Amino acid sequence: MAVTVETLLSYFDESRFIPVLRSTTKAGALREIIDALSEDSEIRHPDILREALESREKLGSTGIGKEVAIPHGRTVSVPRLKVLVARSKKGIPWGAADQKPVKLLFVVVAPPLEKTNEYLPLLGMLVAAMQEKQHRDRVLKAKTFADAKAALEEALRG
Amino acid sequence: MQKRRWRRRFVDESVLKLAALQDIDLMIRDRKKEEDLGFSTQGLATLEEAREKLASEIDARMLRLYERLSARFDRAVVPVIAHRCLGCSISVPTSKRVTGEERKSPLITCESCGRILFFI
């Protein structure tokens, strides 16, 4: 089932937006991300979530190059698909193939059982949307969440 | 942002580890699909090592149950949401809906499908 741009955008919420990550290390950034996701009352086992994201990084860096990373995982600790956006001013070494520090992160977590089957298509859409430098720059330079979301919409629509 | 407070459900340590183990098993199983999207999965050996380490920390009997269920179903550990087993959609009896530390048995399984229940 195809995921529409509107569906993908519906997962972006200001409560899951970190305008500037404080940490400059991968481990520290993941901790900040887990802390932010744990604010969601639906996520009651952040340790399991942390294990899932850290395990995924063991399988291979989720850095896709061009200063973008998409940490992701399926985990029973999340009742529904959630997306978090985070940015780093200085960049964080993420082990991406092009060795560039990551400045823009989209964290995607989903339950193992997912009737809507949006998880993988959503990952694919984000990978495609972030290939263009102008789109990445607009999301990175957005001053507000609304601007960032608008920039992302433009990126998704191509 | 004001921190939300919620009453954390008590979930046995062994169930948490089985849930984490299942998450890793899913990652290993889905790695080809992720490769197709352009993600790296070169660290498979490292992840498998982590998987074995976690498995070694789980009670052998519980691990055997998990592996038997995994051979039978896509998901051996399933959440209970809105009082329903998300593996088979059967309503979970009230007696199994524990909310405190009064639980005696570490693992609770669905009476219908037998999957291990994870109370979110």
Side-chain angles (χ1 to χ4, degrees):
Chain A
M1 180 174 135
V3 177
T4 64
V5 170
E6 288 73 23
T7 300
L8 197 158
L9 287 172
S10 71
Y11 289 115
F12 290 91
D13 189 85
E14 194 159 10
S15 64
R16 288 186 297 276
F17 176 58
I18 304 176
V20 180
L21 284 163
R22 290 187 304 276
S23 183
T24 53
T25 66
K26 189 175 186 178
L30 284 173
R31 270 195 301 272
E32 273 187 74
I33 286 163
I34 298 295
D35 284 347
L37 285 169
S38 301
E39 293 286 315
D40 186 330
S41 60
E42 288 191 321
I43 296 177
R44 300 186 180 189
H45 299 281
D47 284 351
I48 304 283
L49 179 55
R50 180 185 48 77
E51 282 256 16
L53 292 178
E54 287 177 354
S55 294
R56 180 56 190 84
E57 295 300 326
K58 287 189 172 97
L59 181 59
S61 170
T62 54
I64 60 169
K66 301 176 184 177
E67 305 179 321
V68 178
I70 308 181
H72 57 274
R74 283 195 190 273
T75 168
V76 73
S77 58
V78 170
R80 67 186 88 250
L81 194 151
K82 296 194 187 276
V83 180
L84 177 144
V85 183
R87 302 183 303 190
S88 167
K89 276 193 176 151
K90 292 184 180 177
I92 301 167
W94 209 263
D98 66 0
Q99 303 299 317
K100 287 186 177 177
V102 154
K103 290 186 176 177
L104 183 55
L105 299 93
F106 297 91
V107 184
V108 182
V109 291
L113 290 168
E114 194 200 350
K115 285 180 187 171
T116 51
N117 205 24
E118 291 169 342
Y119 175 68
L120 285 174
L122 197 150
L123 288 176
M125 286 172 76
L126 286 171
V127 170
M130 288 298 108
Q131 295 307 306
E132 293 291 324
K133 186 177 187 315
Q134 59 175 358
H135 292 146
R136 297 193 301 273
D137 286 349
R138 272 199 68 199
V139 180
L140 280 168
K141 289 172 183 169
K143 293 201 185 319
T144 64
F145 170 72
D147 290 344
K149 193 170 176 178
L152 188 62
E153 180 173 4
E154 193 181 310
L156 288 166
R157 295 196 190 281
Chain B
M1 186 192 305
Q2 200 169 15
K3 261 196 189 283
R4 286 197 190 197
R5 305 224 176 261
W6 61 85
R7 184 164 55 89
R8 187 180 291 269
R9 285 187 186 274
F10 173 74
V11 179
D12 193 87
E13 178 85 18
S14 23
V15 179
L16 294 177
K17 287 190 177 177
L18 285 170
L21 188 71
Q22 178 171 268
D23 291 344
I24 293 177
D25 285 341
L26 286 176
M27 263 173 238
I28 293 171
R29 211 182 303 169
D30 287 348
R31 70 190 185 283
K32 288 277 182 244
K33 291 176 194 169
E34 294 210 10
E35 279 171 13
D36 290 343
L37 291 175
F39 287 103
S40 162
T41 59
Q42 292 175 336
L44 180 59
T46 307
L47 184 60
E48 284 176 334
E49 205 177 295
R51 193 254 180 223
E52 290 317 309
K53 183 174 179 301
L54 180 58
S56 71
E57 294 169 8
I58 298 170
D59 173 86
R61 236 174 3 146
M62 290 180 194
L63 186 63
R64 276 198 299 275
L65 171 63
Y66 166 81
E67 285 173 351
R68 266 203 316 275
L69 290 168
S70 295
R72 194 175 156 202
F73 300 113
D74 277 347
R75 314 285 185 255
V77 182
V78 293
V80 174
I81 293 181
H83 312 303
R84 291 198 172 274
C85 163
L86 243 62
C88 66
S89 302
I90 285 290
S91 179
V92 175
T94 311
S95 58
K96 290 205 172 189
R97 294 178 207 160
V98 292
T99 58
E101 297 192 13
E102 64 271 17
R103 175 178 313 163
K104 304 265 188 303
S105 169
L107 281 195
I108 293 181
T109 55
C110 175
E111 287 178 354
S112 174
C113 66
R115 288 177 174 97
I116 297 163
L117 298 177
F118 183 89
F119 288 84
I120 288 187

